[in-house]
């Protein structure tokens, strides 16, 4: 499959430049790769290794530690139903059973049309809104069987195209540090002095 | 004011070591040093603390939690991991309380929870730290009744290493070794939590020159080595400690055998040398000793073929030739493969016969005057200061020396300055690394050392010049000139000669050094011109090893009578008139000398194959037959003679120390003959300067006769810079014609940015077309044309 | 929030009643609380100006005097934490811990989504005061909206000159780099966070020696602060330490955010006065949760995030303050209360939490990696009615290999047991392993009869669990 595109390599270099050590950009770059292809390909991991100065094995070692990175294609929409404490107390198990029945797949499975992958997730930090789920990391709160069905209908009809980007894109807004405003990243070994503002005087 | 003079008292008080601390372990006072870990102090005090992840040669990670001990804290006893807790003065450590015992049992039960109980069929069974410590520190039974983890088993993660993830206890030893020690992080933890597993990247094997070490340090049977799998059980193995002579680093090993067959080498931790590590070539080439192709009886040429002969007939044939030879027409090449005793007895025989033509090198090293500089050791080089690399890629030629220098640079003890014609395994670790075309190394070094920052660095501490033959297609005079440049700037510098062959320094030291400057090339030239009546190849194979293939061919052909003493019928031995089977490594006792001049012992573990004999015995027999009986009948006799004849050897060969870390011998100072490096001609811009350098795996006889590593050589190719490749107009992998006015060959082409523009790197002695046809001894450098086909 | 099929949005303007002081949630009542325009209109970046008009050391002193307790879980005062960096070692970094994932907790997400500029301003004040020359703002990977809001706010702040080179024309310069994770609970632990930020697997480092203040990011002195902790700083810089300590108690000044979820009538994330509010106030108070759903009886509650030992009604009058909760046998952690009413299946609830921690183990320490999963498997056997008596004891035995000695728990009058105070001893590097055991231990200690009712006593041959 794919290494990073030219445009993404440009973005990758911009991201790398923010860190005193390139290796730090590994996870952001893996997200970039997942955004590009919907999952993280082996070729992308090799490419990321070249960009940050790591072996492919190291990149894979890092990537496979984290839940969000997928190494095989998943549906356009990844539905994560939370099953941790507060959601469990508020009926997450029942919701999961309903979801499996509605979509005709088990947890971890993908609908035959490749549209939806269903996963059981751990705490998504929306505990007062239990049970909750995320569609490509966009929340749906206090989900009942009925509004789960509505959600699936909307996903199938394409009604949420604009609101929810395809799997891979997490944040649709990126940070951009303007060149004229950036302080810039310096390797720690090249820093010899303390910050200028620690001179005992007020900065303003 | 009264001044009290207490200087006398001061003199009598031993200086107080500011780093000395005393701790108590299980009620016993133990002297320790600040910064030392509790587990290390306990080891010294023979208080064994169980452990899995801790390894004294790697940074601690505190992962397995097996080494928990109790220390007195401000709020009563507290449990800490002894592998990450440093000692402190007055610290009270207990390893024997019920709480510690419960913790040890608990952790062991957890480690065994998912560990398969397949010890009866596991290679590690019987020498397994998990098994041993489960007995010594475990509760005796597991209460884990769930189904264990299942993985496909075992999977080959390289050509040499198999991984069984079910047995793995995730101690991080192999992965830490690969990253931290070897610098080849090709295996990593993957997944997470209870699913964590060690893995390679898909389709990217753990192709490290040091992979065998992970098998040795694996505390369970998760990693196994292909050459040893299901070969033996530990209780069937006998072992003796020895020294590896595959290259000249002199790593300490144990040689293990069963039923008179060598089955395994394992690294031994020698502090001044190898720290327990071995390279895979040294570890796995024991297979060569067991090879079916070994010479088992003397062979005498009749017509075009050999017939087996008795030792007495074969030796008499050789002795007669020697007796009848015109004085000064006998030559001896080789000797670096054997022991000091072997080389010494051949030198003794040579002296008796008045042989002046002798050389233990194959025109592939440096002149012996390299020993005339102040000599460094591996330890002194790694201790601090600056290391100037004027050497081949150590990772390829002297792998464990590479590890030592890499570690020293990584830990910021030393700064490496490298001048080379292409990047090496240490380039990433180097403080300064410059590319200089072959023939211009000395000039480039001079320019680099003129830099004020570099000069300040050299002046700030000790300097070690690591000097060796980087390029076989470049005259060694260029290296020597560069050494002189370095010494000229840093007069306090010491030299660490990195001549590669196993016991080359020993052979040169005990009497097989060239005399009157007549080295191997000159001897072969003389032979080609009909001046050699008896050419003795003492474990030497000039037709494979001498860079000028034409010279080697002519030299062998020109000799009236050729005697080969070898373990295999090599390319050169095939042209011999008499071939005598030599005892191999592991089949004879003796001593060897490593590249720093360290003498250690090598041992006999198995019976010599067939009727093969140690080289020294053959020399002693021949000496007797030519009428110069040396009176030697045992190895001890040889060693006595050696001690008395060779300065520096003194009592060395019988010293107890040679059975472990060895004794560094300074065997006299050869006279430095000033060398004038012929200035390298300017390269035509359309030509490439040839860089002929070695890879770890090549067509060396010990490698190709060891099935496990025989196929690991990269194959002949020519590697140039990607932009040069464009200029040549060829694609990677395509064949190109490499030629000069001597010859022309066809090779596949590769591209790498590690090679500077204008240089063409060809690995030496690889399967495929032979680049040596383009090389002529005596030429300063070799330039070639590369054309796409 | 229009497309939220859940319908309600409990943090919409007007959800919170009462006239408690609001230090960090004051802007939550505005729909556009996350914009620079709203922020500047509501005292935004005035704290930064106030700080920059003083020498850095004075600002540090002010934070120290205010005793701003860390809101991530450990509760260590931020001002003191900043002072632990070794003298004269540069550079020093700020790493913002926005990897909120403790079950029950989600204050940081709200602070990032609803008031990102407040967090940015807090970061700037911390960097100024403690001489931190680069800031990495690590946001949990699954929080898309928080990442977008913070990214947009940072873009605004850079453009307006609040972040970057020569901030507000002063000699103070710092970059704030938005970094985001990819799904691993353990990365919320500060040393694991640093590993992750270095591009590695998020496996915790052993402290000592790896205290971030001494050996942190890239081996440099590093301050790791929680989002909520930093969000306190703008208010503090504007109003001073005296005003801050006037709220709450002497040992726990200020306010803190607490998420109450589970079986309550009105779940929510409330900013409460530190040290004074009791659990009874929180669960039953009119301004807060207004009681248990359907007026059921309270069975148990987790007082401080999924890792905390459980309380029952016996502890309702314990105030929300670290030392008090500790003495009562638990902890406040990250400020998350999860309430279980009388209908709750206790063994199943314990399994839910244990499974979480077993799943989130990084795999580094043996007791956590092997022990957590073992606990989960025994427990799920018990929940499925396939356990034995011996299994219940085995749960405690496995726990002993993770946390040796007495494990903290609450007192219970009905059972006639008294409290074992916090903390526990542990055989692991971080708290994930002990956290897998905490719910098992609490549930077995307080509700053993419910487990006993589930196990068969005749089953002498253990039932092997199905492989997963």
């Amino acid at each position: 499959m794919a290494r990073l595109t030219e445009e993404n390599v440009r973005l990758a270099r911009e991201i790398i430049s923010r860190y005193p050590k390139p290796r730090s950009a590994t996870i952001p770059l893996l997200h970039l790769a997942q955004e590009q292809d919907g999952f993280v390909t082996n070729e992308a991991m090799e490419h990321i290794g070249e960009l940050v100065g790591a072996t492919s094995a190291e990149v894979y070692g890092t990537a496979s530690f984290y839940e969000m990175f997928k190494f095989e294609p998943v549906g356009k929409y990844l539905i994560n139903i939370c099953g941790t404490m507060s959601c469990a107390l508020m009926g997450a198990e029942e919701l999961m059973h309903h979801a499996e029945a509605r979509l005709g797949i088990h947890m971890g499975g993908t609908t035959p049309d490749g549209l939806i992958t269903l996963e059981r997730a751990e705490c998504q930090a929306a505990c007062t809104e239990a049970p909750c789920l995320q569609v490509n990391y966009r929340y749906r709160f206090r989900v009942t069987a009925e509004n789960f069905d509505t959600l699936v209908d909307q996903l199938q009809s394409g009604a949420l195209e604009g609101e929810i980007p395809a799997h891979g894109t997490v944040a649709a807004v990126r940070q951009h540090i303007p060149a004229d405003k950036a302080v810039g990243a310096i390797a720690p070994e090249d820093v010899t002095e303390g910050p200028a503002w620690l001179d005992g005087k007020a900065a303003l | 004011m009264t001044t009290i003079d207490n200087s006398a008292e001061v003199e009598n008080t031993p200086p107080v070591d500011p780093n000395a601390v005393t701790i108590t372990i299980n009620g016993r006072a133990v002297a320790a040093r600040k910064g030392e870990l509790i587990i290390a102090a306990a080891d010294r005090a023979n208080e064994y603390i169980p452990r899995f992840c801790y390894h004294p040669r790697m940074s601690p990670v505190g992962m397995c939690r097996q080494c928990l001990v109790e220390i007195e804290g401000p709020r009563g006893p507290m449990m800490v991991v002894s592998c990450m807790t440093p000692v402190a003065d007055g610290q009270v450590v207990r390893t024997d309380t019920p709480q510690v015992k419960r913790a040890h049992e608990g952790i062991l039960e957890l480690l065994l929870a998912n560990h398969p109980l397949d010890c009866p069929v596991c290679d590690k069974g019987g020498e397994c730290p998990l098994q041993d410590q489960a007995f010594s520190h475990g509760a005796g039974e597991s209460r884990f009744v769930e189904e264990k983890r299942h993985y496909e088993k075992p999977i080959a993660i390289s050509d040499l290493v198999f991984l069984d993830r079910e047995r793995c206890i995730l101690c991080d030893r192999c992965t830490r070794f690969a990253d931290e020690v070897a610098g080849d992080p090709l295996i990593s933890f993957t997944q997470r939590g209870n699913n964590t597993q060690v893995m390679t990247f898909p389709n990217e094997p753990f192709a490290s020159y040091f992979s065998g070490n992970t098998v040795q340090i694996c505390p369970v049977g998760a990693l196994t080595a292909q050459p040893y799998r299901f070969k033996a059980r530990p209780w069937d193995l006998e072992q003796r400690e020895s020294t590896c002579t595959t290259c000249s680093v002199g790593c300490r090993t144990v040689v293990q055998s069963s039923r008179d067959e060598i089955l395994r080498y394992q690294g031994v931790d020698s502090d001044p040398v190898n720290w327990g590590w071995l390279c895979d070539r040294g570890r796995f080439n024991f297979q060569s000793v067991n090879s079916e192709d070994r010479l088992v009886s003397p062979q005498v040429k009749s017509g075009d073929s050999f017939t087996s002969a008795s030792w007495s007939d074969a030796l008499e044939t050789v002795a007669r030739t020697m007796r009848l030879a015109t004085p000064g027409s006998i030559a001896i090449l080789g000797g670096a493969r054997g022991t000091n005793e072997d080389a010494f007895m051949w030198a003794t025989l040579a002296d008796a016969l008045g042989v002046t033509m002798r050389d233990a090198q194959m025109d592939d090293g440096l002149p012996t005057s390299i020993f005339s500089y102040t000599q460094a050791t591996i330890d002194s080089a790694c201790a601090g200061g600056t290391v100037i690399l004027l050497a081949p890629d150590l990772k390829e030629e002297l792998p464990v020396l590479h590890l030592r220098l890499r570690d020293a640079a990584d830990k910021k003890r030393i700064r490496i300055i490298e001048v080379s014609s292409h990047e090496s395994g240490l380039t990433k670790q180097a403080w300064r690394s410059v590319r200089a075309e072959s023939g211009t190394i000395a000039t480039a070094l001079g320019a680099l050392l003129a830099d004020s920052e570099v000069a300040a660095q050299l002046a700030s501490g000790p300097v070690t010049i690591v000097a060796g033959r980087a390029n076989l297609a470049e005259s060694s005079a260029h290296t020597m000139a560069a050494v002189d440049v370095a010494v000229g700037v840093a007069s306090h510098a010491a030299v660490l000669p990195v001549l590669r062959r196993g016991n080359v320094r020993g052979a040169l030291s005990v009497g097989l050094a060239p005399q009157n400057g007549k080295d191997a090339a000159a001897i072969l030239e003389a032979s080609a011109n009909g001046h050699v009546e008896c050419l003795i190849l003492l474990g030497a194979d000039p037709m494979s090893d001498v860079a000028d293939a034409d010279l080697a061919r002519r030299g062998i052909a020109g000799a009236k009578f050729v005697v080969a003493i070898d373990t295999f019928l090599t390319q050169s031995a095939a042209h011999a008139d008499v071939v005598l089977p030599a005892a191999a490594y592991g089949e004879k006792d003796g001593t060897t000398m490593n590249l720093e001049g360290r003498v250690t012992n090598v041992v006999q573990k198995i019976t010599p194959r067939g009727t093969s004999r140690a080289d020294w015995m053959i020399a002693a027999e021949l000496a007797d037959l030519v009428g110069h009986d040396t009176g030697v009948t045992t190895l001890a006799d040889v060693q006595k003679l050696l001690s008395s004849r060779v300065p520096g050897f003194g009592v060395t060969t019988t010293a107890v120390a040679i059975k472990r870390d060895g004794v560094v011998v300074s065997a006299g100072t050869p006279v430095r003959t000033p060398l004038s490096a012929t200035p390298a001609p300017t390269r035509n811009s359309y030509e490439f300067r040839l860089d002929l350098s070695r890879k770890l795996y090549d067509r060396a006889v010990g490698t190709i006769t060891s099935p496990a590593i025989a196929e690991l050589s990269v194959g002949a190719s020519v590697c140039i810079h990607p932009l040069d490749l464009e200029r040549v107009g060829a694609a990677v992998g395509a064949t190109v014609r490499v030629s000069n006015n001597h010859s022309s060959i066809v090779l596949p082409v590769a591209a790498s940015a590690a090679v500077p523009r204008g240089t063409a790197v060809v690995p030496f002695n690889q399967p495929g077309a032979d680049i040596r046809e383009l090389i002529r001894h005596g030429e300063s450098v070799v330039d070639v044309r590369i054309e796409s086909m | 929030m229009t497309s939220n099929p859940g319908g309600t949005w409990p943090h919409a303007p007007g959800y919170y009643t009462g006239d408690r002081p609001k230090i960090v949630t004051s802007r939550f009542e505005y729909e556009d609380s996350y914009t620079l325009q709203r922020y500047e209109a509501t005292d935004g970046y005035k704290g930064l100006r106030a700080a920059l008009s003083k020498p850095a050391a004075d600002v540090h002193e002010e934070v120290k005097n205010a005793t701003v307790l860390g809101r991530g879980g450990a509760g260590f005062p931020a001002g003191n934490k900043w002072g632990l960096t070794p003298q004269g070692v540069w550079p020093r970094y700020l790493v913002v811990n926005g990897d909120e994932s403790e079950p029950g907790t989600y204050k940081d997400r709200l602070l990032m989504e609803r008031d990102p500029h407040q967090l940015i301003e807090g970061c700037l004040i911390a960097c100024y005061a403690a001489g931190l020359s680069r800031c990495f703002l690590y946001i949990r990977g699954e929080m898309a909206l928080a990442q977008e809001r913070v990214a947009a706010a940072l873009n605004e702040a850079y453009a307006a000159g609040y972040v970057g080179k020569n901030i507000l024309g002063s000699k103070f310069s710092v970059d704030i780099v938005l970094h985001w994770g990819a799904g691993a609970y353990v990365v919320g632990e500060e040393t694991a966070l640093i590993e992750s930020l270095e591009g590695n697997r998020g496996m915790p480092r052993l402290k000592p020696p790896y205290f971030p203040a001494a050996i942190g990011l890239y081996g440099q002195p590093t301050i790791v602060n929680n989002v909520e902790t930093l969000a306190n700083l703008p208010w503090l810089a504007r109003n001073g330490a005296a005003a801050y300590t006037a709220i709450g108690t002497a040992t726990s000044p200020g306010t803190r955010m607490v998420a109450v979820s589970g079986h309550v009538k009105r779940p929510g994330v409330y900013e409460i006065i530190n040290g004074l509010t009791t659990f009874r106030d929180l669960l039953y108070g009119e301004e807060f949760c207004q009681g248990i759903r359907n007026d059921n009886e309270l069975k148990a509650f987790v007082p401080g995030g999924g890792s905390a030992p459980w309380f029952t009604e016996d502890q309702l009058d314990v105030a929300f303050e670290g030392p008090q909760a500790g003495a009562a046998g638990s902890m406040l952690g990250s400020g998350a209360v999860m309430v279980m009413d009388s209908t709750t299946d206790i063994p199943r609830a314990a399994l839910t939490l244990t499974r979480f921690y077993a799943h989130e183990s990084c795999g580094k320490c043996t007791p956590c990696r092997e022990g957590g999963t073992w606990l989960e498997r025994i427990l799920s056997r018990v929940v499925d009615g396939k356990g034995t008596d011996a299994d219940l004891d085995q749960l405690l035995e496995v726990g002993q290999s993770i946390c040796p000695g007495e494990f903290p728990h609450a007192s219970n009058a009905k059972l006639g047991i008294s409290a074992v105070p916090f903390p526990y001893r542990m055989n692991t590097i971080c708290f994930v392993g002990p956290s897998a055991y905490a719910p098992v231990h609490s549930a077995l200690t307080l509700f053993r009869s419910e487990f006993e009712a589930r196990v068969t006593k005749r089953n002498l041959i253990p039932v092997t669990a199905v492989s997963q």
Side-chain angles (χ1 to χ4, degrees), chain B residues 391-460:
Chain B
D393 188 343
L394 299 177
K395 190 172 185 177
E396 305 290 348
E397 296 207 357
L398 302 159
V400 174
L401 176 61
H402 163 84
L403 292 188
R404 288 291 311 272
L405 286 168
R406 187 182 180 279
D407 172 80
D410 223 42
K411 305 260 162 69
K412 311 230 181 292
R413 284 197 303 273
I414 60 166
R415 279 180 166 172
I416 293 177
I417 295 174
E418 176 185 54
V419 183
S420 63
S421 58
H422 63 91
E423 285 181 18
S424 77
L426 283 170
T427 299
K428 271 203 196 101
Q429 267 71 34
W431 177 64
R432 293 280 191 280
S433 181
V434 297
R435 299 289 77 77
E437 200 162 272
S438 291
T440 67
I441 303 284
T443 321
L445 179 68
L448 180 63
L449 299 189
D451 176 89
S452 62
E453 214 181 324
V454 174
Q457 168 63 24
L458 293 186
S460 70

Side-chain angles (χ1 to χ4, degrees), chain C residues 440-456:
Chain C
V440 176
H441 183 268
S442 284
L444 265 174
T445 306
L446 300 170
F447 303 97
R448 188 165 177 121
S449 59
E450 289 198 30
F451 287 86
E452 283 169 347
R454 290 289 251 284
V455 301
T456 60

Side-chain angles (χ1 to χ4, degrees), chain C residues 116-392:
Chain C
H117 282 288
Q118 177 175 256
L119 171 61
I120 292 166
E121 190 180 355
C123 296
L124 295 169
I125 293 168
C127 288
Y128 180 68
L132 315 173
S133 56
R134 203 166 184 79
C135 170
F136 300 93
L137 210 167
Y138 192 120
I139 301 180
R140 182 173 169 186
E142 291 96 332
M143 294 179 177
L145 183 61
Q147 291 166 30
E148 289 172 353
R149 290 270 169 89
V150 173
L154 278 170
N155 291 345
E156 284 180 317
Y158 262 102
Y162 289 119
V163 190
K165 236 187 281 182
N166 301 112
I167 293 168
L168 301 174
S170 74
K171 62 195 164 191
F172 174 49
S173 298
V174 71
D175 278 332
I176 299 180
V177 176
L178 173 61
H179 187 94
W180 58 111
Y185 162 79
V186 66
V187 166
E189 198 279 339
E190 58 180 4
T191 58
L193 187 78
I194 288 170
E195 283 285 343
S196 182
L197 186 50
E198 289 182 3
N200 301 327
R201 299 164 60 77
M203 294 159 88
R205 304 168 174 173
L206 192 67
K207 300 185 282 191
Y210 295 106
F211 283 112
I215 312 171
L217 184 63
Y218 314 127
Q220 296 297 125
T222 302
I223 300 300
V224 183
N225 277 150
N226 172 263
V227 166
E228 187 190 344
T229 314
L230 292 163
N232 272 276
L233 300 182
W235 192 96
L236 172 61
R238 286 200 310 273
N239 299 291
Y244 192 83
T245 52
I247 303 168
T249 63
T251 45
S252 304
T255 64
R256 70 177 293 178
M257 291 176 79
V258 180
V260 193
S261 60
H263 299 152
V264 287
K265 285 182 181 161
R266 205 166 164 274
V269 182
Y270 300 97
E271 181 170 3
I272 64 168
I273 299 175
N274 232 350
L276 293 177
T277 315
T278 65
F279 286 103
R280 191 181 298 282
D281 296 337
L282 260 181
L283 267 53
Y284 293 95
E286 203 45 40
E287 323 174 358
F288 302 111
C289 297
Q290 300 175 353
I292 309 301
R293 69 165 183 186
N294 306 329
D295 289 323
N296 285 350
E297 263 181 52
L298 171 68
K299 195 167 191 175
F301 61 98
V302 190
S307 325
W310 299 359
F311 282 165
T312 64
E313 59 183 355
D314 289 20
Q315 284 76 38
L316 277 176
D317 292 316
V318 172
F320 208 90
E321 200 203 16
Q324 287 197 49
S330 188
M331 62 164 185
L332 296 184
S334 50
V337 181
M338 290 180 283
V339 180
M340 293 170 259
D341 71 7
S342 52
T343 67
T344 309
D345 177 342
I346 289 290
R348 193 175 283 278
L351 171 61
T352 304
L353 281 173
T354 296
R355 180 173 49 210
F356 173 84
Y357 293 104
H359 176 81
E360 296 298 340
S361 165
C362 79
K364 187 167 184 177
C365 302
T366 307
C368 174
R369 180 184 69 238
E370 305 294 340
T373 309
W374 194 358
L375 288 174
E376 181 201 335
R377 290 169 78 173
I378 299 175
L379 206 50
S380 67
R381 200 139 39 86
V382 170
V383 167
D384 290 346
K386 293 175 184 160
T388 69
D389 253 0
D391 279 334
L392 303 187

